[in-house]
Amino acid sequence: MSAPYLCPGCKTNRTRFNIIEQVAKSVKKNPQTGEVLEEYAEEIISPMHLQYKGPDVRIQCAACGIIEDEISFIKRAEYNKSS
């Protein structure tokens, strides 16, 4: 998060962002009621349940509202260094 950002959507914002920290919780739900039947601990997960492998952090541009992976904002800033 110490790298410069540039919004890949509006391509003008370099200063105002919302950092969204994602915390995945593995659960098993009742298909009829939606009630949570079981919560899986990270180290004890069902063989039929894939663990979350997405990013821990997402970034939202506070000017246009687009939400993307952090790398999108970093790469856009690298690409437009001279601007």
Side-chain angles (χ1 to χ4, degrees):
M1 277 191 268
S2 61
Y5 290 167
L6 174 60
C7 177
C10 64
K11 298 175 183 69
T12 57
N13 180 25
R14 292 178 181 270
T15 59
R16 296 181 322 270
F17 303 96
N18 296 312
I19 298 171
I20 304 164
E21 296 176 348
Q22 300 188 130
V23 179
K25 183 162 101 174
S26 299
V27 299
K28 181 178 181 181
K29 293 181 82 170
N30 181 307
Q32 284 77 35
T33 66
E35 176 187 2
V36 174
L37 300 175
E38 192 174 353
E39 287 187 32
Y40 299 111
E42 204 171 305
E43 56 280 347
I44 306 169
I45 200 157
S46 168
M48 299 301 291
H49 194 108
L50 294 175
Q51 281 189 301
Y52 178 71
K53 291 184 170 53
D56 292 332
V57 172
R58 303 259 300 172
I59 306 299
Q60 180 182 33
C61 173
C64 74
I66 190 172
I67 299 173
E68 295 284 339
D69 289 346
E70 182 181 36
I71 193 69
S72 299
F73 287 83
I74 293 170
K75 290 296 182 187
R76 176 56 72 176
E78 288 174 357
Y79 180 75
N80 286 49
K81 263 188 182 169
S82 59
S83 301

